[in-house]
Amino acid sequence: MSAASAADGRTRRRRWRRWAVALLVLGAYPAFVLAATYTQFFQADLPGGRNGPADAYRHSLASAIVAYTTSPRCVEWVTAVMERGGQGNSARAMDAHNNLLGARIGANAASWSDMQAAIRDAVRHGAVDATDPDRITWLPPSRWQNRLY
């Protein structure tokens, strides 16, 4: 093997290592958000895993975590893409509403525990089809599904 081809092989391995490290770092943050969210989600034991209070809690908490650890702007981007800005159906509108409320709570929280308490309190005071931007909302019980997402 020539010196040039050996150097070429080392360059390719370094490039692959860099990509692997970049992917690991990019995947670590979403894994952290999901783990932190679902740890609290399972402890909350709320009804309506999909479209109900549990779903509202999960969305608002995940958004609060992202806003607290990065920026509410990240929540806005994710909501625009994943929830289509709340357009299309009532479940998307509910999720977008709760994402933005969670982001505001997370951005204004003084500490991690204050953020979690504020989200729990917001869910306690939530309601079916709430339109107030400062109130958590969920769909009527007839629309709830027992799912984790």
Side-chain angles (χ1 to χ4, degrees):
M1 180 185 298
S2 73
S5 64
D8 219 22
R10 283 191 300 274
T11 301
R12 267 191 242 119
R13 281 192 300 275
R14 281 189 202 120
R15 196 173 300 137
W16 275 105
R17 279 190 210 127
R18 287 183 187 139
W19 276 105
V21 167
L23 289 174
L24 182 63
V25 168
L26 288 174
Y29 183 72
F32 156 73
V33 172
L34 286 172
T37 299
Y38 274 94
T39 298
Q40 296 300 313
F41 171 79
F42 288 123
Q43 292 174 4
D45 195 33
L46 293 165
R50 180 80 173 147
N51 298 328
D55 192 18
Y57 178 65
R58 187 178 59 250
H59 274 266
S60 57
L61 179 61
S63 297
I65 290 169
V66 171
Y68 182 79
T69 57
T70 60
S71 165
R73 190 84 154 158
C74 294
V75 175
E76 291 170 15
W77 293 335
V78 170
T79 299
V81 172
M82 295 187 72
E83 304 299 347
R84 298 182 189 159
Q87 302 301 310
N89 62 51
S90 56
R92 271 199 197 108
M94 177 195 85
D95 292 344
H97 173 98
N98 292 331
N99 286 357
L100 298 178
L101 177 55
R104 282 196 313 276
I105 290 170
N108 295 315
S111 70
W112 181 262
S113 60
D114 286 349
M115 180 251 320
Q116 292 176 326
I119 293 293
R120 285 191 301 272
D121 189 53
V123 172
R124 266 193 296 280
H125 294 97
V128 171
D129 294 330
T131 56
D132 181 344
D134 294 322
R135 191 167 192 194
I136 294 285
T137 189
W138 50 80
L139 300 182
S142 62
R143 301 273 314 272
W144 298 359
Q145 298 173 9
N146 287 325
R147 293 172 41 183
L148 297 178
Y149 57 92

